[in-house]
Each structure stands twice: as structure tokens, then as C-alpha cells.
Amino acid sequence: MRTVSAAETAPTLHPWAVHAEGLRVRAGRHMAVDGLNLALGTGVHGLLGPNGAGKTTLMRSLATVLKPAGGRLELLGEQVDTRADLRRVRRGLGYLPQQFGFYPRFTVREFVEYMAWLKEMPKQAVPGATQRAIERVGLAAKADARMKTLSGGMLRRAGIAQAIVNDPAVLLLDEPTVGLDPEQRLDFRELLRDLGTDSCVLVSTHLVEDVVAACTDVVIVNEGRLVFQGTPAELTSQGTDGDPGDSPAERGYSALLRRHRAGTR
Amino acid sequence: MTTHPSPAVLGRYADRDADLAEVTIWSVELHLETCADCRAALTTSGDDLLARIATGLDTAIATGPASAPRRRWLVALHRWFVWASLPWLTVSLAMLGCAVLIQWMLPGFPKLVLLLAPVAPLPAVAGAWTRRFDPSWELLAGTPAAGLTMLLRRTAAALAVIVPALTLAGFQTGTPLAMGLLPCLAFTAATIALGAFVGVRRAAAGLGAAWTLAVITPTVLTTHLPAVLQPGTAPVWALMTVALAGLAATRAGHLHRLISTS
């Protein structure tokens, strides 16, 4: 039994877990996110967009890795575009980068425990939380294998395990399904639905069917701007039979992008 | 204080199957909240539930799978030392080694170890805090631990290698210890303080270039030890170290994103 601190029982005072207004973020010299307005609450949000649309840059700025060049960005009710102390916000974040380096001699368990330590979790909570995170991604059998012996899909799942180890209120997953086989993808969708019940999950992907199957909300960006935000059903209703794509959702996606490109040109 | 309930009532309260009036349950609970003796009586009067649970747990732990092996040294090492700075540490150590060699060959030359002491830790400090050298920077940069504390921890690990090497080199060449170590610490503090404004790597490069141009080059040309490195200046270096370390501490907010600028 443990004492519940006042901070844990305090009601949330922010309407959105993630709130960006006119957000601008630079990637090198290029303004990859340029005036993006976004408000995300609890649930699973699928982030779609063509290559170079600014998805990864947006993810990085939401993970407080990149500093916004302009606009406002609030995470969990705290402003993060200033020089404010980011530690409190970061304790509530989970982030899986598109590519992540790791120390090859670490085992999966050591890697996740090391990340839990970096996330400043209470010392006595770390071993249990690590085991739980590894079991949730289905990697328990490989928990004591070295990171360098893992396959691409297993590495991805180890990355997801480190992202969820601190039970984050905002979870950012950049292309988590790359390298997963079809069965693992189904398990992953199940995990996403589970995570999305009480936290804000943003999943960047290229697979429209993943979004339709597992997300409560779809966000489409192109050239650093928001194109569309709505439910998967609304996305599906955007397409007509004349649009390219093999499923109604794909047709909706390509119709929206085509309309956006025509509008900005 | 209410009157103590009789052992019979307590026994019926503890027994799940016994029937006890709700009002009696309330009064017993109210009393138990304030009376330690009755609470103790309650735990011993009923069946030995706690003891059974304890033995059950003990056997489950003994017969269950063994706990995962832990390599604490490896984890501790990664908390302090970043492998990416190993090449830069080697550069520093090689520089000091060359300085000692030259000192042996040219005894009349101003003490090179003294000249190199301030810039010796700079490559390692820069290596400890640069995105492109650390494969896991993107994971680290988004964690609450990233910041001044992590930079200080990594810098301390680098200094733990540099300072003994510097002491040894100074001892070999007969250099006063304070004049070897104090400028080294002052420049480390200056790198961190300046790094909060322009980025640690840029700060290290700038300070290294400035020292080379302003002090090392003239000394090599004139073969006279410059005034800033005369033994009498030790208190000034010590003061500078403290002042710069204080400045670095006030700029902690600038170092949250692994690079400090942009």
C-alpha cells in the first residue's frame, strides 16, 4: 500500500493534453512545422501525412526535444515553448523516436530500467514498472536478451516498452509499426486501444488501415499545416469512388490531400 | 474513548460468517480506530490469516522463478560515463602525453603541460553534450533527467580521467599542481556557462581557439611563460572557477534540450 499524493488526486485543469496554436518548428533551416493548430485530448490520435510533411519534426517538438521557433505549445497545461523548467512535463511524457540509438550491451530489461531512471521514476517502482511494460509489448521471453541480438520488430517493441514504462499522460509514437509482423500489429492495435482509454496517444504512421482500426481520431498534416482532424468515419466519408486508394479510408485520405494541395497552390 | 468491546464481539466482528448488527459493527470500528490494544487483540483473536499469507508468500517466492540477473556496475557506468566521449578523452590524454615528451626533449622551453592544462578537458566536455556523438540523444533529450545535472555528471566523469592524468603529467615535469588544475577547472566551468548561451560544443571550440591564439601561440613564439600562468595568479583562477560555476548554475534552464540554443 502507498500514500497517494495530493498531486495525483488533483483534478486536471487543462482542457487539452496537447494544445498548439500557430506552432512553428524548424528542422535545420527549413520550417518543417509552419503555423500548425492542434488540440488533442484523451484517446488515440493517428497522425498521417506524406513524407516530408513535418510529422517527425512535430513529434520531436511535442516531445520537448526541439524548441519551437514560434507560436504557442502547451503540454498537460504547461507552456513548453519558453525557457521554463521542463522536468515536470517530461515526467508525464513517453516518446518513441523514429530511430533510436541504444547501448548494444544492455539487455532489454536494463535498457527499459535505464530509461525509467532517466524519467525520474521512484526507485522502488522501477523493477515492477519495467516488467509490466515489457510484458505489455509481448517481449517478456526476450527480457534478458542483449539489445544487439534483437530483430527490427523486437527493437521497435523494446522502444515502445521504454515509452510506456512511466505510464505517460502524453505518449508519442513515431512510426511504431515499422518492422512488426501482421500478428504483432494486431496485438499492438490492442495495446493502443488500451493505452488510449486514459492517456493522450499520438501515433505517426503511413498505414491508413492502422489508423482506421485503432484510432479514435485522425490528424492529417501536409507541409507543416493541419489538413484535417476528425474521426475515422469522417475521414472515410471524405472520399469518393473517383479518388485513388483501395479502401474507403485511403480514398478519403488521398481526396483530402489532393484538395489541400489544390487549395494552397 | 468508548468502552472496549468484549472479546466475543471482537471475535464475531473478525469472523466473516458471524452475524453482527450493523450498529455494533460501527461502534466496534469507531473504537478500533482509536484503541491500539483492541486492534492487537483483533489480529490475534481471529485465525492466523496473516501468518498463513506470510508462509504462502515465502513459499511462492522460494519456488517461483529467480529474480532477473542485474549488472549494477554496467548501469551505474552508463549513468555517469558516455561512451561517445571516449575518443575525445583519448585526444586529451594524447595531447598531455605529447606535452610531457616535448618537455623531456626541450627542458628550457616553457612548461607545455601548464599551457595545455586549460584546454585539456574541453574536447571531452563537448563530446559529452553533443547530439551527433551520442546515438541515443533523441531518447535522452526528452527525459526529465536531461539538463544541467546530466551535463555535470558526464563532465565529472570526464574530469575523473583528465585530472589524474594532469596531476601525473605535472608531477613528471615538475609543474606546480595548483597552476595545472585550477585553469583546467576554470575552463570547464567557462565551457558550461558559455554553453548555456551558444551551445556546449561551440563554447568549447571558441574557448579552445581563443586560448590557443591568445596564449599558446605567443608563448611558443617568444618562449616566455605568460603572466596569466605565473604561480601568483592561482587565487584569481580559483575565484574565476567559482564565479563561472555560479553563472552556469543560474543558466540551468537553457540546457534542457541537449543543445542549448535554437
Side-chain angles (χ1 to χ4, degrees):
Chain A
M1 205 184 293
R2 69 188 184 94
T3 330
V4 178
S5 71
E8 284 173 272
T9 56
T12 50
L13 297 173
H14 48 270
W16 306 105
V18 174
H19 194 196
E21 272 176 355
L23 182 69
R24 293 152 63 84
V25 191
R26 232 184 279 276
R29 290 199 181 143
H30 170 63
M31 193 65 81
V33 175
D34 197 0
L36 182 96
N37 296 314
L38 189 65
L40 302 176
T42 305
V44 184
H45 310 271
L47 181 62
L48 289 170
N51 280 325
K55 295 195 298 291
T56 294
T57 308
L58 173 64
M59 283 290 198
R60 282 182 178 169
S61 66
L62 295 185
T64 68
V65 173
L66 289 182
K67 187 171 148 50
R72 279 167 56 86
L73 177 59
E74 268 183 25
L75 294 176
L76 302 171
E78 287 196 43
Q79 200 138 345
V80 296
D81 45 18
T82 53
R83 294 225 185 269
D85 193 356
L86 297 171
R87 287 172 77 148
R88 220 149 64 97
V89 170
R90 281 178 171 173
R91 284 195 199 122
L93 288 185
Y95 175 44
L96 169 72
Q98 205 168 50
Q99 278 144 12
F100 62 95
F102 52 86
Y103 306 113
R105 284 166 55 81
F106 267 12
T107 64
V108 175
R109 188 189 306 280
E110 282 163 350
F111 168 68
V112 178
E113 278 186 349
Y114 178 62
M115 290 306 297
W117 174 74
L118 284 173
K119 293 179 183 199
E120 299 185 337
M121 290 180 70
K123 202 177 171 190
Q124 64 274 22
V126 169
T130 302
Q131 181 65 27
R132 200 164 51 247
I134 292 174
E135 278 171 8
R136 281 181 100 174
V137 298
L139 217 50
K142 285 279 183 184
D144 292 310
R146 299 269 173 98
M147 292 289 280
K148 62 182 170 190
T149 64
L150 299 187
S151 69
M154 288 177 185
L155 268 182
R156 217 67 210 137
R157 286 189 279 156
I160 297 169
Q162 67 78 23
I164 63 174
V165 69
N166 56 336
D167 291 325
V170 174
L171 177 61
L172 307 158
L173 303 171
D174 202 347
E175 308 221 347
T177 48
V178 172
L180 299 190
D181 65 37
E183 195 191 358
Q184 290 164 356
R185 260 173 58 202
L186 294 183
D187 290 343
F188 175 69
R189 287 180 190 172
E190 200 55 49
L191 175 64
L192 270 189
R193 285 187 207 108
D194 187 21
L195 291 167
T197 52
D198 57 356
S199 53
C200 170
V201 186
L202 184 62
V203 191
S204 143
T205 178
H206 283 298
L207 300 171
V208 180
E209 69 264 36
D210 272 352
V211 171
V212 175
C215 296
T216 54
D217 191 36
V218 185
V219 177
I220 300 180
V221 293
N222 187 33
E223 291 166 353
R225 286 165 188 278
L226 186 70
V227 176
F228 170 83
Q229 185 174 9
T231 61
E234 284 167 10
L235 172 71
T236 314
S237 67
Q238 296 286 328
T240 58
D241 286 338
D243 292 306
D246 293 328
S247 68
E250 282 179 0
R251 283 193 282 275
Y253 170 74
S254 51
L256 277 167
L257 271 187
R258 201 178 269 187
R259 235 176 284 156
H260 181 255
R261 284 182 183 134
T264 51
R265 204 164 287 151
Chain B
M1 193 82 172
T2 47
T3 51
H4 297 285
S6 69
V9 171
L10 268 185
R12 282 172 65 196
Y13 173 76
D15 187 357
R16 184 184 316 196
D17 301 322
D19 191 29
L20 200 63
E22 205 164 334
V23 182
T24 321
I25 293 180
W26 290 347
S27 72
V28 168
E29 273 174 3
L30 198 68
H31 177 79
L32 283 174
E33 280 175 17
T34 55
C35 180
D37 291 341
C38 285
R39 280 203 299 272
L42 181 70
T43 50
T44 50
S45 71
D47 54 4
D48 50 348
L49 180 68
L50 289 178
R52 273 191 291 121
I53 290 176
T55 21
L57 275 179
D58 284 344
T59 43
I61 290 171
T63 55
S67 61
R70 312 198 66 178
R71 295 180 292 171
R72 289 179 187 281
W73 61 270
L74 186 72
V75 178
L77 188 69
H78 276 92
R79 289 181 182 184
W80 286 85
F81 189 74
V82 50
W83 290 109
S85 67
L86 196 61
W88 302 98
L89 271 180
T90 320
V91 169
S92 297
L93 294 181
M95 234 163 52
L96 287 176
C98 288
V100 174
L101 270 182
I102 292 174
Q103 202 74 69
W104 267 341
M105 290 187 283
L106 301 167
F109 202 71
K111 299 211 184 303
L112 261 183
V113 174
L114 264 189
L115 282 177
L116 286 180
V119 288
L122 297 191
V125 175
W129 202 247
T130 303
R131 288 185 170 190
R132 69 176 69 162
F133 299 140
D134 192 345
S136 53
W137 71 267
E138 207 172 342
L139 282 178
L140 298 185
T143 59
L148 184 64
T149 328
M150 189 188 268
L151 175 58
L152 287 181
R153 198 182 286 125
R154 290 176 168 197
T155 306
L159 284 179
V161 179
I162 297 282
V163 165
L166 206 56
T167 313
L168 195 69
F171 184 69
Q172 286 283 329
T173 56
T175 317
L177 189 62
M179 283 318 292
L181 291 186
L182 282 174
C184 165
L185 295 179
F187 265 68
T188 307
T191 308
I192 295 173
L194 194 61
F197 295 97
V198 298
V200 174
R201 192 163 53 102
R202 244 178 270 171
L207 284 172
W211 181 258
T212 310
L213 280 178
V215 178
I216 297 184
T217 319
T219 310
V220 169
L221 293 179
T222 61
T223 69
H224 285 297
L225 197 64
V228 289
L229 284 177
Q230 296 299 341
T233 55
V236 181
W237 283 107
L239 264 181
M240 262 175 67
T241 310
V242 174
L244 286 165
L247 179 65
T250 61
R251 312 307 297 183
H254 293 232
L255 288 161
H256 279 307
R257 291 179 210 259
L258 197 58
I259 52 163
S260 46
T261 54
S262 76

